Amino acid sequence: MAQAIAPVEPVQTWRRFLTQETIVTVIVGLIVAVAVILPLITLVVSSFLVLDDLGFDTEWGLENYILLYTDRVIPKAIFNTFIISSGTMILATFLGVSLAWINARTNCPWADYLEPYNLIPFFLSPFVGAIAWHNLASPRIGLLNVWYRDFFGAEGYLLNVDNLWGVIWVTGLFFTPLVYLFVIGSLRRMDPSLEDSARTTGAGLLRTTLTITLPLVTPAILSGAIIVFVTSAGEFGVPFKLAAPYGWETLTTQIFTKAVGDDANHYLGATMSMVLGVITVILIWVQRVYIAPRSYTTVTGKGFRPNVLDLGKWKWVAFGFNLSYIFVAVVLPIFCLFIVSLHPVWTAEIIPSDMSMNNYVKTLFWWREDSIRAATDGIINSFILAFSGASIAMVLALVVSYMIHRTKGFGSKVLDILCVIPIGFPGIVLAMGVLVTYIQTPIYATLWILLLGYITRFFPYGQRNIASIMLAISEELDQSSRMSGATWFTTLRRITIPLLKPGIFAGWVLLFVIFLRELSISIILYSTGTETISVGVYYLANFENEALTSALSMTQTVVLLICIYIFRRVAGKEALSA
Amino acid sequence: MIDAQSSMVEITHLEKRFGAEIAVEDFNLSVGKGEFVTLLGPSGCGKTTTLRSIAGLEKLDAGEIRIGQNIVVSADKNIFLDPELREIGMVFQSYAVWPHMTVFDNVAYGLRVRGTKASDLKKKTTYALELVGLDHLADRFATKLSGGQQQRVALARAICYEPNVILFDEPLSNLDAKLREQMRDEIVKLQKEVGITSIFVTHDQSEALVMSDRIVVMDKAVIQQIGDPKSIYSNPVNSFVANFIGVANLFQGKLIGVEGTECQIEINFGNALATKKLLSTGGDNLNLGQQVFLSVRPEDIKLSTKKSTGNVEANCIEGIVLDTVYLGNFLECRVKIGSHEMIVQIDHFEQLDKGQTVYVSFLPQHGLTLPN
């Protein structure tokens, strides 16, 4: 047994830097830095390039920015964007806060069963929601309006979503879960004795709610509201479907018009993206610097049993309210899509004898002659992109999380900031950056440019999923593996990754879902042959009929619902509120 | 004891269930004006539930509670006063200091909700802050304070509006050892100064012994004993109380004889000694032949290397030293007697070797016979 231990030769200084750890982290760090920063710099630079009248040459100048004020359409588009964002923010905040309060703090019946359904819109495509609501409540062919005319023998229409209010209605419904998640986490983590002590001190229920509970969740409400404002400012699908065709342009629909098409002016598109970008940066900065640090309730990590308010018979009102939300945000749109998709053409009339699955055949069976390429290619491309994109992004996310949370120094701080930037940025802005950066390179018009756009924009979501688990796992588990003699890579493979497995898989499914429904990046970066599902839906909505559009939308929705089910099974109830 | 007229809090037949589980059962207590009563027991014994029931944060399944002149809750009469109407103050384990308010606003909250005039409000709040020594931090946001300071804010907030009774829910258990003792003494001093009726919940027996006028020992949802600290410590009524308050050596045995105050217990130590007859006190209501516990405090046991003589001879047992632990001002020695172990506290520093044969003995009046 007595073996002589050979002395370990000291390694030369420069070789000490060439460890597995530094090589991998430096390479990944550089990739992330280039992927995130390059498009943004190019975007800023291009916004100062002015295209001449012939559309061939460019020169430096501020004309694009001047156009923001002088153009016939753009100033109105900016104004409309503000209207939509403000309206959506108010609606989503109202719904999100009420639903969160009902679920976290009242004895609303069956709240446990309702809760997962409140989150479904978070995973579905707002664009598809807009299509569904168009079929439900457009003045002429809207199913609800048809029923209104039939039942009451009335003229005209009851509801009209083909305007800014319709956009606000649909985006509001779909972004409610964003506020809901912020607020419900805050309500659940709040120490109940904060409210108990107000009661014992002599304040009644109403006074306690107004002076203690509400102020304590205000930071969470404001955070949620700001995220909703920024997200709806960057939302493309809904205004494109419900507002632009009826004369209400927004920034995103204008960027799309300038970025795609025959007389495309990428540079003006870049300038308009700057407006959206600046709004985003300012609001996200306000949220992170002024609001997030005031978040009182996240300080304690203790598990509390929140105070539950007995609503008496009002609990049925609360239950009805929650049920109504699920009905108008999830059930009604999906039901409408399904009904419409069964008809050969949608004439605002349910004709059982005409119903068939033909539209599904046309949009799904790619081997058939009469299949529609934009749809079938879109499905295949989306699956390729979602699968490879989620996988690559999670590898990146893993290494980046490791660098941020397990290494110290300048690099980890820079990466942390780099990971925050894409999270707030509207997809369409980032896509403009990616477009102007890579338009001259061979990856333009391939799936690669879409993949690059997807990963850049969304890998921070995966990174957050991993980071939350990584922060909960003691660093000493890694360190003891190294002490036992394992290399960095072996430690990663045998210890770190197995421990993070639930987080990695949950993040993967989340990204898979996001990529499957992605529209605002795809619509800027796709070209013939590289359509995605959402682009396919856009194509059908523009060039085919409502019935075909609904069939593809329905397909996408079903796939997403299956993914949500898997996500919940894997990630557990708490995964999203973390 | 305290007559009903001068009692500030009167609890009768309180019962609280969580589903099928009984949290508190047949709890009766009368707390006098200005008295400091502690509910003591292990976690899950129902002490916090009782306190929260007094506060109105839990509803009762049976029983009645009166605070001052008002019946605040009665299951029979279907009365339930909301917490804010009970004129109580409460200090929580987690401080529960409102993070979005300054220290002053926290403390003044109770006066504000009572619509106190501005001048009175300022005067009373400042007085309360002076009492806890935080008047210089009045404008600070509460979350910027240390744990001890936050607990002082909570205390000032609870006494500021002069409630009938102040309820403490383990307020010291989040503080570190040194600070805990300091706060403990301050609370007692303040309580005596203001003369406010207090009900204090803790699982820490030393806190209970130091602070209380009376202690209510609870276990398994039931009151085990009520009494002043001295009688609880020296005259525990059962083995649970004996063991929970301080350290007790408990031996199970059979009661074989009673003579006056002394009784004789037969204990099987399971070794060469086999059964040994020991003398102790208590056992008034116990029957001969019954299984009982003999309880002896470590500090009441004599340990020597020679067999002792005299009147303690009857209670002299041979054992073997297992180990000794040095605890600063005294030694604690574990002695093995057959299959049993006994903890003995010795203040003289004699050399004891592991495995050495020693003789332990105690006076009959230091041994206590307790029901099984």
Side-chain angles (χ1 to χ4, degrees):
Chain A
M1 281 306 283
Q3 246 176 359
I5 298 164
V8 178
E9 292 288 330
V11 194
Q12 282 174 306
T13 321
W14 64 271
R15 295 242 352 224
R16 244 187 277 154
F17 287 104
L18 281 180
T19 59
Q20 292 169 336
E21 188 174 353
T22 36
I23 292 171
V24 173
T25 49
V26 164
I27 289 175
V28 171
L30 280 176
I31 292 174
V32 171
V34 169
V36 173
I37 294 175
L38 198 58
L40 293 181
I41 292 178
T42 321
L43 188 73
V44 176
V45 171
S46 329
S47 71
F48 293 101
L49 283 173
V50 182
L51 204 63
D52 65 14
D53 291 341
L54 292 170
F56 288 114
D57 278 323
T58 54
E59 54 184 41
W60 297 101
L62 288 170
E63 275 85 344
N64 290 338
Y65 282 93
I66 294 165
L67 262 183
L68 294 179
Y69 296 98
T70 57
D71 190 82
R72 210 165 36 80
V73 187
I74 300 171
K76 275 198 82 173
I78 295 176
F79 179 74
N80 288 341
T81 300
F82 268 98
I83 296 285
I84 289 173
S85 293
S86 312
T88 304
M89 183 175 74
I90 292 167
L91 179 63
T93 306
F94 167 72
L95 290 174
V97 173
S98 333
L99 292 173
W101 183 74
I102 287 173
N103 276 276
R105 289 305 186 83
T106 70
N107 61 341
C108 169
W110 303 300
D112 287 351
Y113 299 100
L114 290 179
E115 166 133 46
Y117 295 96
N118 286 335
L119 297 179
I120 286 181
F122 180 78
F123 294 94
L124 297 183
S125 161
F127 180 45
V128 166
I131 289 165
W133 267 98
H134 177 76
N135 291 337
L136 276 169
S138 74
R140 216 163 37 76
I141 60 139
L143 196 54
L144 297 177
N145 288 324
V146 173
W147 284 345
Y148 166 74
R149 286 194 289 263
D150 288 353
F151 279 120
F152 297 100
E155 293 286 308
Y157 55 86
L158 179 68
L159 300 163
N160 180 9
V161 289
D162 294 336
N163 51 39
L164 291 184
W165 302 114
V167 176
I168 290 171
W169 172 243
V170 174
T171 45
L173 287 180
F174 274 77
F175 295 154
T176 293
L178 291 175
V179 181
Y180 180 85
L181 285 171
F182 267 97
V183 176
I184 203 159
S186 188
L187 280 174
R188 288 208 169 120
R189 280 194 296 268
M190 188 187 294
D191 179 357
S193 56
L194 287 167
E195 289 161 313
D196 286 348
S197 52
R199 296 298 299 280
T200 57
T201 306
L205 192 63
L206 186 66
R207 185 150 189 160
T208 303
T209 306
L210 292 179
T211 59
I212 308 294
T213 318
L214 203 61
L216 288 176
V217 291
T218 299
I221 296 175
L222 288 179
S223 287
I226 285 184
I227 300 292
V228 167
F229 189 95
V230 168
T231 316
S232 46
E235 169 59 33
F236 165 75
V238 182
F240 176 77
K241 176 72 192 171
L242 296 179
Y246 309 97
W248 286 281
E249 292 283 345
T250 66
L251 266 174
T252 49
T253 58
Q254 275 295 294
I255 291 170
F256 170 72
T257 316
K258 289 290 181 287
V260 180
D262 297 333
D263 57 347
N265 181 346
H266 299 139
Y267 306 106
L268 184 57
T271 313
M272 281 188 281
S273 301
M274 286 295 292
V275 178
L276 216 46
V278 168
I279 297 172
T280 309
V281 167
I282 292 173
L283 287 177
I284 296 289
W285 182 76
V286 167
Q287 195 266 330
R288 285 182 70 89
V289 175
Y290 286 99
I291 297 171
R294 278 175 182 59
S295 176
Y296 311 109
T297 48
T298 50
V299 192
T300 50
K302 264 177 137 182
F304 292 114
R305 189 166 55 99
N307 287 329
V308 168
L309 179 69
D310 188 349
L311 289 179
K313 56 180 183 239
W314 286 92
K315 71 182 178 185
W316 296 107
V317 176
F319 177 71
F321 179 74
N322 198 337
L323 214 57
S324 310
Y325 170 72
I326 295 168
F327 185 70
V328 295
V330 182
V331 180
L332 201 55
I334 293 179
F335 166 76
C336 178
L337 283 178
F338 183 64
I339 292 293
V340 173
S341 72
L342 295 177
H343 291 78
V345 280
W346 179 238
T347 53
E349 217 177 329
I350 299 176
I351 311 166
S353 57
D354 277 3
M355 286 188 184
S356 73
M357 298 298 276
N358 272 338
N359 290 324
Y360 290 93
V361 172
K362 277 191 191 167
T363 49
L364 287 174
F365 297 172
W366 69 88
W367 59 87
R368 286 177 58 125
E369 284 290 310
D370 60 345
S371 69
I372 296 164
R373 292 239 65 89
T376 53
D377 281 1
I379 293 170
I380 296 166
N381 286 336
S382 269
F383 271 100
I384 294 172
L385 282 170
F387 194 87
S388 52
S391 306
I392 297 171
M394 286 318 289
V395 172
L396 271 182
L398 178 69
V399 181
V400 169
S401 307
Y402 187 89
M403 289 180 72
I404 294 175
H405 299 291
R406 288 288 189 267
T407 60
K408 283 152 193 83
F410 181 69
S412 78
K413 288 204 183 63
V414 173
L415 266 183
D416 201 11
I417 295 167
L418 284 180
C419 285
V420 173
I421 295 174
I423 277 194
F425 254 76
I428 205 161
V429 174
L430 202 88
M432 277 310 294
V434 170
L435 180 71
V436 288
T437 310
Y438 300 104
I439 194 162
Q440 312 273 10
T441 66
I443 71 164
Y444 178 67
T446 65
L447 280 180
W448 293 104
I449 194 166
L450 284 158
L451 194 65
L452 190 71
Y454 282 15
I455 293 172
T456 310
R457 166 80 173 86
F458 291 109
F459 92 91
Y461 286 70
Q463 192 263 326
R464 283 184 160 190
N465 249 302
I466 292 181
S468 65
I469 295 190
M470 199 176 257
L471 286 171
I473 297 173
S474 163
E475 204 175 337
E476 286 149 14
L477 294 173
D478 293 5
Q479 287 164 349
S480 28
S481 162
R482 299 297 293 274
M483 297 298 131
S484 318
T487 61
W488 176 77
F489 191 72
T490 308
T491 304
L492 198 65
R493 192 167 56 85
R494 301 283 294 275
I495 307 292
T496 318
I497 292 179
L499 284 171
L500 294 174
K501 217 183 249 163
I504 294 173
F505 194 66
W508 192 91
V509 179
L510 182 65
L511 290 183
F512 192 81
V513 165
I514 291 174
F515 292 167
L516 269 188
R517 64 155 199 230
E518 212 296 319
L519 174 65
S520 49
I521 293 177
S522 321
I523 201 74
I524 300 289
L525 298 180
Y526 90 97
S527 50
T528 314
T530 63
E531 292 93 348
T532 64
I533 296 187
S534 290
V535 172
V537 173
Y538 151 81
Y539 175 88
L540 294 178
N542 252 20
F543 303 107
E544 297 283 346
N545 58 45
E546 294 291 347
L548 273 168
T549 314
S550 299
L552 188 59
S553 303
M554 197 59 205
T555 306
Q556 186 190 37
T557 305
V558 169
V559 174
L560 290 175
L561 287 174
I562 294 169
C563 291
I564 299 169
Y565 179 74
I566 296 172
F567 181 79
R568 262 187 78 81
R569 289 298 295 270
V570 175
K573 267 170 85 173
E574 300 297 317
L576 276 172
S577 30
Chain B
M1 287 274 238
I2 294 113
D3 62 309
Q5 260 64 48
S6 69
S7 74
M8 183 56 95
V9 180
E10 187 84 38
I11 304 164
T12 39
H13 304 299
L14 186 153
E15 184 178 316
K16 173 71 188 169
R17 273 181 252 116
F18 292 110
E21 186 197 344
I22 293 175
V24 187
E25 204 176 3
D26 198 26
F27 186 104
N28 294 286
L29 179 71
S30 165
V31 182
K33 199 165 191 302
E35 199 184 11
F36 195 111
V37 171
T38 299
L39 309 185
L40 174 68
S43 58
C45 72
K47 56 189 191 303
T48 296
T49 307
T50 307
L51 195 78
R52 289 174 64 84
S53 302
I54 301 171
L57 299 169
E58 304 283 356
K59 297 205 163 140
L60 296 187
D61 289 307
E64 189 174 288
I65 300 173
R66 179 175 61 75
I67 298 175
Q69 302 302 315
N70 304 318
I71 292 171
V72 293
V73 55
S74 167
D76 295 338
K77 296 173 195 154
N78 209 10
I79 297 174
F80 183 85
L81 239 57
D82 278 329
E84 63 268 22
L85 302 172
R86 298 190 175 195
E87 284 303 315
I88 48 170
M90 189 158 175
V91 181
F92 292 83
Q93 181 179 359
S94 62
Y95 320 138
V97 166
W98 299 308
H100 59 299
M101 295 182 188
T102 61
V103 169
F104 185 91
D105 289 337
N106 261 282
V107 176
Y109 190 85
L111 295 170
R112 285 220 171 98
V113 298
R114 283 168 177 77
T116 312
K117 271 193 303 180
S119 56
D120 269 11
L121 182 130
K122 176 112 175 95
K123 206 170 70 197
K124 284 185 174 170
T125 307
T126 313
Y127 173 68
L129 282 170
E130 275 166 8
L131 276 177
V132 297
L134 283 182
D135 40 322
H136 60 293
L137 296 176
D139 297 328
R140 206 69 80 77
F141 267 91
T143 40
K144 301 271 181 268
L145 306 181
S146 71
Q149 287 171 327
Q150 288 196 39
Q151 199 54 289
R152 272 166 232 243
V153 174
L155 185 59
R157 182 174 70 190
I159 55 171
C160 191
Y161 48 91
E162 295 154 19
N164 282 330
V165 57
I166 182 163
L167 310 171
F168 295 90
D169 185 10
E170 308 207 25
L172 305 178
S173 57
N174 273 358
L175 304 173
D176 58 62
K178 197 104 192 184
L179 199 58
R180 197 181 311 160
E181 273 183 33
Q182 192 188 331
M183 273 303 286
R184 186 185 73 190
D185 298 342
E186 271 179 47
I187 289 177
V188 173
K189 200 171 136 247
L190 191 79
Q191 194 263 337
K192 295 284 172 249
E193 205 171 311
V194 183
I196 192 167
T197 313
S198 307
I199 303 177
F200 191 97
V201 159
T202 182
H203 61 263
D204 184 324
Q205 43 113 355
S206 65
E207 259 170 37
L209 291 172
V210 171
M211 301 177 86
S212 327
D213 295 324
R214 274 193 305 155
I215 298 174
V216 179
V217 185
M218 292 180 74
D219 186 41
K220 301 198 176 97
V222 175
I223 294 181
Q224 304 290 326
Q225 189 172 3
I226 303 180
D228 62 273
K230 191 170 173 305
S231 67
I232 293 264
Y233 188 83
S234 50
N235 284 312
V237 295
N238 59 29
S239 56
F240 171 80
V241 178
N243 207 22
F244 195 76
I245 312 284
V247 183
N249 292 295
L250 288 171
F251 302 101
Q252 202 171 11
K254 198 164 88 179
L255 186 65
I256 54 169
V258 181
E259 261 179 62
T261 56
E262 275 183 16
C263 50
Q264 204 172 23
I265 301 166
E266 191 178 65
I267 295 164
N268 186 354
F269 286 101
N271 72 337
L273 284 163
T275 53
K276 176 88 187 166
K277 288 167 187 151
L278 296 171
L279 289 175
S280 74
T281 52
D284 301 338
N285 301 317
L286 300 169
N287 301 323
L288 286 181
Q290 199 181 338
Q291 288 289 313
V292 291
F293 274 105
L294 171 67
S295 157
V296 200
R297 299 275 181 203
E299 65 268 26
D300 292 333
I301 301 171
K302 272 219 168 95
L303 185 142
S304 88
T305 49
K306 294 187 290 289
K307 215 170 179 158
S308 61
T309 50
N311 65 341
V312 294
E313 196 176 3
N315 283 344
C316 183
I317 319 163
E318 188 184 315
I320 295 163
V321 174
L322 272 179
D323 54 21
T324 52
V325 185
Y326 177 63
L327 288 169
N329 48 349
F330 59 90
L331 281 172
E332 205 172 80
C333 177
R334 279 199 304 149
V335 179
K336 189 170 160 63
I337 304 164
S339 57
H340 290 60
E341 272 178 27
M342 189 181 240
I343 293 169
V344 182
Q345 188 178 313
I346 36 181
D347 47 5
H348 53 107
F349 290 77
E350 73 189 278
Q351 183 63 39
L352 291 170
D353 297 325
K354 209 173 155 184
Q356 187 179 350
T357 302
V358 287
Y359 298 91
V360 291
S361 57
F362 59 91
L363 296 167
Q365 60 264 39
H366 285 147
L368 199 63
T369 307
L370 299 170
N372 193 341

